Amino acid sequence: MFHQIIQRQKNNWLASNDCAIKEVVAYIKQKGELRTPQIEAIETYLFLKIKGENKPLWQLFTEGFFIENVALDKLHINQETREFLSHNKPAFALYCFASTKENGKSILSELEQLILDKKEQLDYIKIAKDIFYQVHYADYLLSLPMGAGKTFLMASFIYLDLYFANNEPNNKTFAHNFLVLIPSGLKSSIFPSLKTIENFDPSWVIPEPSATNLKRLLKFDILDEQKTGKKSNKARNPNAQKVNACLPNPFGQVFVVNAEKVILDSFKFTNQTELSLEDEEKDTNNDLKKLFGQIPNLSILIDEVHHAQTDDIKLRQVVNYWQDKGNITTVLGFSGTPYLEKADKISAGLGNIEFKFTQITNTVYFYPLISAVKNFLKKPIVKIGNGLGRLEIIKRGIEDFNTHFADKKYSNGAIPKIAIYCSSIEILEQEVYPFLTGELGLNSNEILKFHKGNKKGNKGYAQPEGSELEFRSLNQPSSNKKYILLVQVGKEGWDCPTLSAVILSQKGDSPQNMVLQTSCRCLRQVDKNQNETAIIWLNKDNADTLNKQLKQEQNLSIEELNKASQSNTDNLVPRTSRMEILGLPTIDFYQMKVSYQSIDEEDNENTAQKLLDLKNNIDLLTVDAIITTTDIVNLDNGTSAIVSQIGSQFASYNQWLFDISRESYALISSDQLFKFDADLKPIFEQITYQKNGLCYFNELYDLHSIQSKIRLAFSIKRTLQTTTEEVPQHAELLIAHKLTAVENNANLRPNKEDCEKLLELDKTGAYIALDEDKMMQAYEAMKAALEAQGMAKFIQPYESFKLPMEQPETIKAKNITYHYLPYNFGGSGSSGLELKIFENAIELDEFKNKQLEIYYNGERGLTEFVIDCYAKNGKYWKNIGKYTTDFLIVKRQADKTIKKILMVETKGTLYANEFKNKRAYVENDFLQLNKAKFGYQRFDFVYLEDSQDINTNKVKLSHKIAQFFSE
């Protein structure tokens, strides 16, 4: 619907010359860690942020931002309406939207006709505002199916906002702080997955060193504590205290909050759900709702936003309240289900005339379930137990599960699981569990019963002891649970990738409105590039409900889902090791290993003395004095003012200590700092000043250095000693068990058909080169025969005659490359340079004449030949990460052992700066270390960049080969 228009406009912008995010998107794609829907959602987000200037959707809409290339003179409308629309952009925008065709029909035919019939009577601005919920801030919904990575997408948005905000701190488009809201009913299952935001690697979306620097800035707080009285007449709110501690100017603060219990319940609402502020607490420091209104540049992220629909009006009132404080940057909703249970009705303002929306209208991105199944989710096999009872369906489902997964283990060592949902605790305990252990004879140690106990007082069925911990640990290799019996848990928000099957055997096993979410719990991907399957067993009622919800929310059916699962496997190419055929030995080389040792120079911290020394020498920690002419009119001629106090940053002693603690990564707690109030307050008073009754930091002091010295005062003085070793390594070029099928694409070498030919040649040992003498003899015989028959005109040239009998270049190269089949040069973000270099290298005369071999080493996780890189930081070595070269060009000796290796690195221009430190280490230290150890130049390195054309890179590679492999 509306999101489709946005995607078209976004794609036009990305292709234009004025697109400001091309390098960011190229970096993310080439990094290759995020999936397609995550990258597309990021593109959409940045399009609305930057090109759309972070304006509310209704405003962009009425300004004509989303009007596509529509020629008024081509519309089938009368001249009067054409004139009206040409002078009324909001009306034109609404007409274009309403008349957009979907399945051959206008998406809002009622509104389209209304504009034609009563154009002068409509309030177009109001209609647009009503469509987008009357909000006056950027409010977007991103709809991705379960398992597509919504949590990582949240983290990506947080880091991207901080990245741009750090570069432009006064730009209100980008957030400085973040509030993650979750529905209360999903608290126990969603909170753990949101913790993955904290562990997200920001280098997936932002280049280093910015990624690491921003990660250091982030501070996470989960606000889920209850108010406590503490023997006081007034309840203390520990959640509010956490928020208050970071004010007034936090940057990089992420709060995870329960929407209903923590936020909505703290506000007062009238019967009309309007926000009432009459009874607000006067103690602002204890009032969470008011404190959030004080957090500057705040973005709100709402997980599983469709659950908030019941409290949607209240939630919007709360956000509007905060927006009135001027602090809301963006509101982002995330959901796998962007459709409404009941259609929204929008009044046209003319009597009873209204039109309906079945989709949440602020959906700006939608990635359908069917695409996820085809591309990365497990492939579901949905089976329906028509006419079967509960226990028979469970029996068949378990038999099916054991047939498919009995001996399977995922790459992390964990085993597959099957979830059997029950409508009540009594059914689980009295029917299903006895059936599994009795008639089916399953091992009770492999069964997990998890429910919250019977809250109606049935003491016989309390929550099974230890079940919640077991439930949380199901993805771990240590968990031996296979059969998971559940009541009213695990329906949504449960992140268990190793769950591989689901059974809903009777109506009521899942809430009626959540059958789709519950059924699809088992579709999460475990291992990338694997053709993983999942099994779903349903009774007739649940199957009918699933079909209905698939149709309503995904325009899909169970039959289409099953067909998509089956057809997707036809597009996969299996991969095979050829290490034994090539007789490729391990790569012997030497790594530098750096060990660090800290040596204490003091017996204790001597904190008080160090703080006193700092206070006495504080004036040495200043920046250059600032000369100003601001008040020059008040000075005598020829004089200037030396400023002794300057700064606009508010100063709070408590916040200052909080920042010092935070920057110590919590190694120094606020409580430790408060114990030294007598020593720290004089320092604080020295570096601050009062103006108009307010306290400010004096920015003439080097505040960063002062805070660093305060942190050092709480630690024993140490010196760091490093020792280096030269460690021999023996690396396999292929970790064969990690080879998985790859999707067929144009960048496979060899292609799918040639892989099959090559494997057959490996089996038969057939000779692949043509015998030119015999071929010429055959040609002459054919030529003579045709001439004798008077058919000389049918004689073809020799090259055409032998062409069908020639093997393609990819197969002719089989003995000098392809240690596994096929190489995949079409990974996410690929610039195509790797493939070009590979194809050109095997054709170089220097390569052929010197009888070299070339092996692709650049696919992540498939090789052991990885170099640990270091950089000298003063007198110490600093680890700067691992380096995996793209290609190895190899020269063997007569006994087939390796004599020399040329490492070939191909890089996109965007990554050149990021790679320079590793490149320097490899070109200098690594090469020299191995030359010294082997007694000759065993390794060399050549760097090729896509900023050069392919011919330039070919010449450079050829010269390096000639120089390095010269005898």
Side-chain angles (χ1 to χ4, degrees):
M1 200 177 183
F2 185 54
H3 62 86
Q4 294 168 334
I5 297 173
I6 293 178
Q7 293 316 299
R8 290 194 290 267
Q9 297 288 66
K10 176 206 74 177
N11 291 335
N12 291 337
W13 181 60
L14 288 172
S16 69
N17 292 327
D18 68 337
C19 176
I21 65 166
K22 284 184 177 179
E23 287 197 356
V24 173
V25 172
Y27 172 83
I28 295 171
K29 288 182 176 179
Q30 191 158 345
K31 199 69 178 174
E33 297 292 348
L34 297 183
R35 295 184 176 120
T36 297
Q38 293 166 318
I39 295 172
E40 290 178 349
I42 288 171
E43 291 172 344
T44 302
Y45 178 67
L46 293 178
F47 168 64
L48 294 170
K49 275 267 181 182
I50 296 172
K51 182 67 174 177
E53 299 177 351
N54 205 47
K55 294 178 180 178
L57 285 173
W58 72 264
Q59 185 176 346
L60 289 174
F61 195 89
T62 55
E63 289 174 356
F65 183 77
F66 298 116
I67 294 177
E68 300 182 271
N69 296 322
V70 178
L72 269 167
D73 57 344
K74 302 293 184 183
L75 296 178
H76 297 295
I77 54 178
N78 60 42
Q79 185 59 34
E80 182 186 352
T81 304
R82 192 174 285 113
E83 284 287 330
F84 176 81
L85 295 180
S86 69
H87 294 95
N88 191 322
K89 192 166 283 185
F92 186 29
L94 270 176
Y95 180 79
C96 290
F97 175 52
S99 60
T100 299
K101 296 295 187 289
E102 195 172 89
N103 298 323
K105 296 165 59 177
S106 299
I107 58 175
L108 284 176
S109 55
E110 305 97 328
L111 178 59
E112 178 187 14
Q113 193 60 46
L114 199 60
I115 294 173
L116 296 177
D117 295 343
K118 301 184 178 183
K119 53 184 175 294
E120 302 282 359
Q121 302 174 44
L122 296 175
D123 185 339
Y124 296 98
I125 300 291
K126 182 181 183 303
I127 291 173
K129 287 181 177 180
D130 287 345
I131 289 174
F132 296 108
Y133 309 114
Q134 284 284 343
V135 298
H136 297 277
Y137 42 83
D139 181 19
Y140 312 139
L141 173 72
L142 299 114
S143 179
L144 294 87
M146 175 280 304
K150 292 193 288 289
T151 309
F152 276 174
L153 187 57
M154 284 186 184
S156 298
F157 289 151
I158 287 171
Y159 278 107
L160 286 165
D161 260 44
L162 288 177
Y163 176 68
F164 287 109
N166 203 39
N167 293 331
E168 301 179 58
N170 296 321
N171 188 341
K172 298 295 185 182
T173 298
F174 300 103
H176 296 187
N177 304 285
F178 306 87
L179 174 63
V180 181
L181 295 178
I182 64 169
S184 62
L186 301 179
K187 175 180 173 180
S188 62
S189 55
I190 289 184
F191 264 29
S193 68
L194 290 182
K195 287 293 288 181
T196 60
I197 296 176
E198 192 169 0
N199 300 323
F200 179 78
D201 183 353
S203 70
W204 291 5
V205 293
I206 299 167
E208 295 288 7
S210 297
T212 298
N213 292 339
L214 287 176
K215 192 173 182 70
R216 289 175 183 152
L217 287 174
L218 252 63
K219 173 75 166 63
F220 294 85
D221 276 309
I222 296 179
L223 306 183
D224 61 344
E225 297 183 46
Q226 298 297 316
K227 286 185 179 182
T228 57
K230 295 289 184 183
K231 298 181 180 180
S232 167
N233 290 330
K234 187 173 181 63
R236 295 172 65 248
N237 189 336
N239 298 318
Q241 291 173 344
K242 288 181 182 179
V243 179
N244 189 53
C246 76
L247 294 173
N249 293 307
F251 186 90
Q253 192 76 33
V254 181
F255 292 108
V256 182
V257 184
N258 176 261
E260 289 93 335
K261 296 296 182 186
V262 178
I263 299 299
L264 298 183
D265 287 359
S266 70
F267 279 87
K268 309 292 184 189
F269 293 94
T270 67
N271 291 335
Q272 289 76 38
T273 69
E274 293 178 352
L275 189 62
S276 171
L277 303 177
E278 299 167 3
D279 300 321
E280 288 187 28
E281 296 180 38
K282 295 180 180 179
D283 179 8
T284 303
N285 292 344
N286 199 37
D287 189 355
L288 191 61
K289 61 180 179 288
K290 295 188 71 174
L291 288 170
F292 276 128
Q294 297 174 32
I295 298 176
N297 297 77
L298 182 68
S299 262
I300 301 175
L301 299 90
I302 310 173
D303 198 25
E304 302 297 350
V305 70
H306 56 280
H307 282 287
Q309 292 303 309
T310 52
D311 283 314
D312 186 51
I313 298 175
K314 291 183 180 180
L315 191 57
R316 291 189 187 281
Q317 292 288 346
V318 172
V319 176
N320 290 340
Y321 168 75
W322 289 329
Q323 171 63 12
D324 289 342
K325 309 292 183 182
N327 70 325
I328 298 300
T329 301
T330 313
V331 175
L332 293 172
F334 299 84
S335 176
T337 53
Y339 292 89
L340 298 164
E341 282 187 51
K342 296 176 68 174
D344 267 351
K345 297 178 181 179
I346 305 295
S347 171
L350 298 175
N352 295 324
I353 300 175
E354 58 187 18
F355 40 95
K356 300 177 182 178
F357 287 94
T358 57
Q359 191 182 83
I360 300 173
T361 53
N362 62 336
T363 303
V364 298
Y365 180 76
F366 176 42
Y367 190 81
L369 174 64
I370 190 69
S371 298
V373 166
K374 288 180 178 180
N375 293 312
F376 52 83
L377 292 182
K378 293 193 188 87
K379 319 306 173 198
I381 304 167
V382 184
K383 298 187 178 183
I384 304 168
N386 279 317
L388 300 180
R390 177 189 297 279
L391 299 182
E392 183 61 26
I393 290 176
I394 290 174
K395 178 183 178 182
R396 295 197 185 189
I398 288 176
E399 289 172 349
D400 210 357
F401 169 77
N402 286 330
T403 299
H404 281 82
F405 302 107
D407 301 318
K408 182 176 178 60
K409 278 192 176 182
Y410 291 109
S411 61
N412 69 342
I415 59 175
K417 283 92 182 167
I418 181 170
I420 304 166
Y421 291 87
C422 304
S423 55
S424 71
I425 295 173
E426 288 76 15
I427 287 175
L428 185 155
E429 296 282 3
Q430 296 171 14
E431 295 184 34
V432 178
Y433 180 72
F435 178 69
L436 266 57
T437 56
E439 184 169 332
L440 299 187
L442 300 182
N443 185 343
S444 61
N445 291 327
E446 295 180 340
I447 301 172
L448 172 64
K449 298 185 294 181
F450 183 41
H451 54 73
K452 295 295 185 178
N454 194 317
K455 297 181 180 179
K456 295 180 180 179
N458 187 334
K459 297 180 181 179
Y461 300 117
Q463 179 174 333
E465 186 176 352
S467 60
E468 185 153 3
L469 179 59
E470 288 274 13
F471 183 71
R472 302 258 177 258
S473 306
L474 287 174
N475 279 319
Q476 302 303 315
S478 57
S479 175
N480 67 337
K481 303 300 183 186
K482 286 185 179 181
Y483 312 98
I484 319 303
L485 307 184
L486 303 171
V487 179
Q488 295 302 315
V489 289
K491 302 182 296 297
E492 190 171 35
W494 177 26
D495 183 6
C496 185
T498 55
L499 182 67
S500 302
V502 161
I503 297 176
L504 294 175
S505 60
Q506 290 295 301
K507 186 176 182 179
D509 288 346
S510 165
Q512 198 77 351
N513 65 339
M514 296 180 68
V515 170
L516 173 58
Q517 288 79 13
T518 307
S519 301
C520 293
R521 281 300 93 203
C522 57
L523 299 189
R524 289 182 184 271
Q525 184 184 51
V526 186
D527 298 325
K528 283 188 177 181
N529 301 320
Q530 286 280 16
N531 184 30
E532 297 175 345
T533 58
I535 296 169
I536 301 170
W537 268 87
L538 307 170
N539 74 325
K540 180 69 164 53
D541 283 328
N542 283 315
D544 290 344
T545 302
L546 177 60
N547 249 333
K548 179 181 176 182
Q549 292 175 357
L550 282 171
K551 183 65 179 176
Q552 181 185 33
E553 300 180 15
Q554 298 288 336
N555 196 26
L556 192 60
S557 69
I558 291 176
E559 183 181 3
E560 290 168 315
L561 198 59
N562 281 338
K563 284 181 179 178
S565 303
Q566 295 160 8
S567 63
N568 194 62
T569 60
D570 298 335
N571 199 38
L572 293 176
V573 181
R575 299 213 279 182
T576 310
S577 169
R578 299 183 68 242
M579 292 288 285
E580 291 186 11
I581 290 170
L582 293 168
L584 198 57
T586 58
I587 304 293
D588 297 331
F589 66 107
Y590 283 84
Q591 289 263 48
M592 186 168 77
K593 180 182 178 183
V594 179
S595 302
Y596 302 90
Q597 184 181 12
S598 178
I599 299 176
D600 294 346
E601 291 189 354
E602 297 177 313
D603 294 327
N604 55 63
E605 293 89 344
N606 297 314
T607 301
Q609 183 60 48
K610 290 176 183 175
L611 293 175
L612 179 61
D613 293 342
L614 175 61
K615 174 185 174 296
N616 292 337
N617 295 283
I618 198 80
D619 288 336
L620 298 177
L621 295 170
T622 58
V623 297
D624 294 335
I626 298 176
I627 301 177
T628 178
T629 56
T630 303
D631 297 318
I632 199 71
V633 294
N634 299 319
L635 301 174
D636 294 332
N637 289 337
T639 64
S640 299
I642 305 295
V643 176
S644 60
Q645 294 175 337
I646 192 171
S648 58
Q649 182 182 352
F650 289 110
S652 160
Y653 178 69
N654 288 351
Q655 176 63 29
W656 183 59
L657 295 190
F658 175 82
D659 287 340
I660 293 171
S661 172
R662 174 180 168 184
E663 290 167 5
S664 75
Y665 304 104
L667 293 175
I668 307 169
S669 68
S670 297
D671 289 342
Q672 285 176 276
L673 291 165
F674 280 120
K675 290 177 182 177
F676 288 87
D677 271 349
D679 306 284
L680 287 166
K681 281 188 175 178
I683 296 173
F684 178 77
E685 291 166 0
Q686 183 70 23
I687 62 174
T688 58
Y689 71 99
Q690 300 288 326
K691 181 179 178 181
N692 299 327
L694 297 175
C695 186
Y696 296 88
F697 282 109
N698 186 350
E699 294 176 7
L700 292 182
Y701 285 98
D702 186 344
L703 301 174
H704 177 78
S705 294
I706 292 169
Q707 291 179 192
S708 176
K709 288 185 178 297
I710 291 172
R711 290 192 296 274
L712 288 174
F714 285 81
S715 62
I716 294 172
K717 186 177 180 182
R718 295 180 174 90
T719 57
L720 184 68
Q721 288 187 352
T722 63
T723 57
T724 60
E725 298 177 73
E726 296 156 346
V727 181
Q729 302 282 299
H730 311 283
E732 292 283 357
L733 275 190
L734 177 65
I735 306 172
H737 73 270
K738 289 192 175 182
L739 271 180
T740 57
V742 64
E743 190 170 344
N744 196 15
N745 66 79
N747 296 306
L748 298 185
R749 292 298 182 275
N751 62 31
K752 186 176 183 180
E753 293 74 22
D754 285 347
C755 280
E756 295 169 359
K757 291 179 186 176
L758 198 152
L759 288 172
E760 185 61 31
L761 289 169
D762 283 346
K763 287 179 185 178
T764 62
Y767 188 61
I768 61 171
L770 290 174
D771 187 321
E772 288 289 340
D773 290 338
K774 289 184 178 180
M775 184 61 60
M776 182 57 74
Q777 290 174 14
Y779 176 72
E780 291 297 337
M782 179 273 297
K783 182 178 175 182
L786 289 174
E787 287 173 342
Q789 298 173 39
M791 301 174 66
K793 65 179 181 179
F794 294 106
I795 297 173
Q796 61 188 133
Y798 172 67
E799 292 300 323
S800 299
F801 171 77
K802 74 172 185 176
L803 187 61
M805 286 161 270
E806 275 198 310
Q807 297 286 4
E809 291 298 326
T810 52
I811 290 184
K812 286 198 283 188
K814 82 180 193 73
N815 293 329
I816 59 169
T817 187
Y818 303 129
H819 60 306
Y820 64 90
L821 292 175
Y823 291 161
N824 182 19
F825 297 109
S828 178
S830 172
S831 66
L833 181 59
E834 289 177 340
L835 175 55
K836 292 175 185 175
I837 293 300
F838 175 72
E839 291 184 327
N840 281 278
I842 59 179
E843 288 296 302
L844 289 173
D845 290 337
E846 289 290 347
F847 182 88
K848 294 177 179 178
N849 294 339
K850 297 187 183 300
Q851 297 181 313
L852 303 177
E853 301 167 34
I854 182 169
Y855 299 102
Y856 181 49
N857 192 62
E859 187 165 347
R860 184 185 296 269
L862 288 183
T863 179
E864 291 180 346
F865 185 64
V866 178
I867 300 171
D868 294 323
C869 297
Y870 298 88
K872 211 60 178 291
N873 186 9
K875 60 181 180 179
Y876 302 118
W877 286 102
K878 177 186 177 184
N879 189 305
I880 56 173
K882 296 181 181 294
Y883 165 62
T884 307
T885 192
D886 288 329
F887 294 99
L888 299 173
I889 296 180
V890 171
K891 176 65 175 178
R892 298 214 217 184
Q893 304 185 98
D895 63 357
K896 296 300 181 182
T897 58
I898 293 174
K899 183 179 181 181
K900 285 189 171 185
I901 298 174
L902 174 63
M903 298 180 289
V904 182
E905 178 62 28
T906 64
K907 265 288 181 284
T909 310
L910 186 65
Y911 301 91
N913 187 60
E914 180 188 355
F915 180 63
K916 66 180 181 180
N917 290 335
K918 291 180 181 179
R919 177 182 174 184
Y921 174 79
V922 171
E923 289 183 321
N924 298 302
D925 303 281
F926 178 81
L927 296 184
Q928 290 304 315
L929 166 62
N930 282 274
K931 181 178 182 180
K933 286 294 183 181
F934 286 100
Y936 70 96
Q937 188 73 41
R938 179 173 172 81
F939 292 91
D940 207 344
F941 177 85
V942 62
Y943 176 79
L944 307 173
E945 194 174 295
D946 67 0
S947 59
Q948 302 292 325
D949 62 61
I950 189 61
N951 289 325
T952 302
N953 279 322
K954 279 174 61 178
V955 170
K956 185 175 181 180
L957 179 59
S958 183
H959 285 171
K960 176 60 77 170
I961 289 173
Q963 173 261 315
F964 178 56
F965 292 106
S966 61
E967 297 296 339

